[in-house]
Amino acid sequence: MAADWLKDAVFYEIYPQSFRDTNADGIGDFQGIIEKLDYIRSLGCNALWINPCFDSPFKDAGYDVRDYKKAAPRYGTNEDLYRLFEEAHRRGIHVLLDLVPGHTSEEHPWFKASSKAEKNEYSNRYIWTNHWFMGCKDLPYIGGETERPATYILNFFKCQPALNYGFFRREQPWQLPTDHPDCVATREAMEDVMRFWLSHGCDGFRVDMAGSLVKYDDEKKTGTSAVWRKIRQMLDREFPQAALVAEWSDPKVALRCGFDMDFYLNNWGNGYSTLMRDYEDPDKADNSYFRRDAPDRDIRRFLDVYEDWYGDTRELGYISLLTCNHDTVRPRFSLTTDELKLAYAFLFTMPGVPFLYYGDEIGMRYQQLPTKEGGYFRTGSRTPMQWNNGKNLGFSEGDAEKLYLPVDPAADAPTVEAQEGDPDSLLNTVRRLLALRHQQQDLQSDGAYAPVCTEKGRPFVYRRGQLLLAVNPSGDTLTAPVDARGRQALFSIGSGKAGADGLTVGPQSFLVLK
Ligand code: NOJ
């Protein structure tokens, strides 16, 4: 069963490098997050996910951890982070840190010890072959860099050697079974990291590449699931309200092995990208469901996967829908502000626990930028938050050349300040939507969901508990054959009408009826 506080949680994801710099060094910091907690609360978000903020050489933006128990000095000290937990809690905000259990930095002391020729406590902390030149099937590996005469397996980039949780099916003597004491020790080391932060006030973790722990052929993830079950048992005993969200996108598995939430990510072909990012095929027009002019709009491409997952997991935990994250092109890249309003209205009124990526609430644009800290194309979604029209758009008092990444150079770059005063702005629409969600239990994480009219979603009509909702992203007025007589509008974007002939939804409109 998921932690109670998730029933009405709405998350805000912060990429700490780019949120708010308070010491003019050009990079965001913990104090900057603390300063903006009231703003985050004003949005209606009551939970945070902060990307890795631990000591790291930052070859993958901090997903290459050098010391799991030390805050990265560029953001502040451990004490600053503890203060952030406290200040957040005072405002009713829970905080998840980012746990990276599948790999460390190649600069982690465990890896340095593991690379030594002489056998030691850490020799099996990572996955080493027994040959100086040979790898292992299709797992990426590195040779030639260590005193130890063997190659080691990578979990992601070259800087990220894979931690050793064992092999599900063993073919080679160096492939340890998952119950080998050294593989158990890896899990226990990760539990120790979790205990450390939880006992200092953090409320749980977003878990990086949660499905990546046990190596092949763990196709059904039996081995990896067993590791998570053990970890969950520890949490249930010691920190029963701690929450875990998986970066897995396989909720049937993730929610069965102890995760409270799993992200619906844009993995190839799973339907999520058809909502807002269906522009990959150069020979076809953008067919995203929320594009006003989508040539062949069809919400079923998303729902077919979603409803299968939802039906199977609704008693177990939550599927998390997200506006974007630090790995994805911002939705403003292809959607107008009016289109975004409808997309967010949908994402924030579906079951499960939603996630809003910093800056999406004002429609920050994707920037074309050279790669930074292993970001590649992702760099363009990681630029500084745009607070106001002042220096560096209010992100930092430092020199523009020193900034972690440049701010949006456009004269009409959206800012919080500019949108505050406009009741119709994207920012205030997000606030209205989240306020409605908090007011109506039916719209929260556990409220029941049922599709009502899904003929390609033109319009898409769905029920949440006693409420009836409808969204029409097209430029035409559409009527759904749904009897909504006697219902009153609780919330609307655009226009609509419940009549004897059905539910009529105006162009680019969204309705919540009670
Ligand atoms: C997923 C993270 O979201 C991404 O940013 C990172 O590069 C990889 N995992 C490797 O940790």
Side-chain angles (χ1 to χ4, degrees), residues 119-294:
K119 196 157 170 47
N120 62 63
E121 188 188 341
Y122 297 101
S123 296
N124 286 330
R125 179 60 50 96
Y126 298 82
I127 306 174
W128 294 87
T129 67
N130 58 1
H131 199 278
W132 66 280
F133 201 65
M134 235 154 36
C136 165
K137 290 222 167 137
D138 52 357
L139 299 177
Y141 70 94
I142 296 288
E145 296 215 342
T146 61
E147 178 185 292
R148 182 168 171 167
T151 57
Y152 60 91
I153 305 299
L154 301 174
N155 216 35
F156 199 67
F157 286 152
K158 185 257 164 194
C159 61
Q160 291 156 320
L163 284 161
N164 193 1
Y165 294 85
F167 279 69
F168 189 63
R169 193 167 51 77
R170 300 166 52 224
E171 290 174 347
Q172 304 285 336
W174 53 266
Q175 297 174 342
L176 302 184
T178 54
D179 60 357
H180 187 283
D182 292 343
C183 299
V184 172
T186 307
R187 189 222 335 127
E188 287 172 348
M190 218 37 71
E191 288 176 353
D192 178 53
V193 170
M194 296 171 92
R195 258 188 213 104
F196 177 82
W197 290 109
L198 289 166
S199 61
H200 280 103
C202 117
D203 299 292
F205 302 91
R206 174 268 189 187
V207 177
D208 187 68
M209 295 173 67
S212 75
L213 306 188
V214 170
K215 299 308 182 208
Y216 73 84
D217 266 346
D218 192 18
E219 253 175 44
K220 297 209 166 115
K221 299 293 173 190
T222 316
T224 294
S225 295
V227 176
W228 287 115
R229 270 194 204 99
K230 284 271 183 209
I231 293 178
R232 187 78 237 185
Q233 283 167 14
M234 180 284 281
L235 292 176
D236 285 346
R237 271 193 316 272
E238 300 177 34
F239 304 95
Q241 284 299 309
L244 294 182
V245 55
E247 189 208 19
W248 200 329
S249 232
D250 192 355
K252 290 183 179 184
V253 176
L255 301 181
R256 283 199 166 79
C257 65
F259 285 90
D260 305 77
M261 307 167 263
D262 188 18
F263 290 128
Y264 191 162
L265 296 170
N266 55 333
N267 293 339
W268 190 83
N270 73 0
Y272 170 79
S273 58
T274 67
L275 292 178
M276 302 187 281
R277 298 183 182 83
D278 198 8
Y279 46 66
E280 298 281 300
D281 187 339
D283 298 328
K284 290 200 184 131
D286 185 341
N287 199 28
S288 302
Y289 179 75
F290 286 103
R291 280 280 290 229
R292 181 180 185 275
D293 299 321

Side-chain angles (χ1 to χ4, degrees), residues 287-437:
N287 199 28
S288 302
Y289 179 75
F290 286 103
R291 280 280 290 229
R292 181 180 185 275
D293 299 321
D296 187 23
R297 185 186 322 285
D298 187 358
I299 199 164
R300 267 281 144 221
R301 295 183 299 160
F302 166 84
L303 289 181
D304 284 349
V305 173
Y306 180 81
E307 287 174 358
D308 174 46
W309 286 350
Y310 175 75
D312 188 69
T313 61
R314 52 175 302 196
E315 305 298 330
L316 304 171
Y318 305 116
I319 298 166
S320 282
L321 302 180
L322 51 172
T323 60
C324 185
N325 67 22
H326 62 288
D327 292 332
T328 315
V329 173
R330 284 201 186 262
R332 180 69 179 81
F333 176 70
S334 59
L335 298 189
T336 64
T337 303
D338 285 341
E339 290 166 343
L340 283 177
K341 287 179 184 171
L342 301 181
Y344 296 170
F346 170 73
L347 295 174
F348 296 156
T349 55
M350 286 293 278
V353 180
F355 281 67
L356 169 66
Y357 184 51
Y358 84 97
D360 279 349
E361 72 273 28
I362 53 169
M364 268 174 60
R365 298 190 178 100
Y366 177 76
Q367 306 293 324
Q368 298 292 344
L369 288 170
T371 183
K372 170 96 179 187
E373 295 190 344
Y376 296 94
F377 81 93
R378 307 173 295 180
T379 306
S381 295
R382 300 175 174 184
T383 56
M385 178 66 182
Q386 298 159 199
W387 296 105
N388 55 47
N389 286 327
K391 185 172 182 188
N392 299 319
L393 301 184
F395 163 64
S396 168
E397 285 303 311
D399 296 340
E401 318 74 71
K402 277 203 334 203
L403 299 191
Y404 174 77
L405 285 171
V407 298
D408 182 347
D412 65 345
T415 66
V416 172
E417 189 183 44
Q419 293 192 20
E420 284 281 1
D422 172 4
D424 268 347
S425 65
L426 185 59
L427 173 69
N428 283 321
T429 304
V430 166
R431 285 185 171 135
R432 281 205 305 137
L433 278 164
L434 293 181
L436 177 76
R437 185 177 168 109

Side-chain angles (χ1 to χ4, degrees), residues 11-26:
F11 276 86
Y12 191 74
E13 179 193 345
I14 294 182
Y15 186 73
Q17 287 91 323
S18 295
F19 194 55
R20 164 86 182 123
D21 169 25
T22 58
N23 61 358
D25 64 353

Side-chain angles (χ1 to χ4, degrees), residues 23-38:
N23 61 358
D25 64 353
I27 193 155
D29 43 51
F30 295 134
Q31 182 56 30
I33 300 177
I34 293 173
E35 268 184 19
K36 297 296 182 185
L37 288 171
D38 289 329

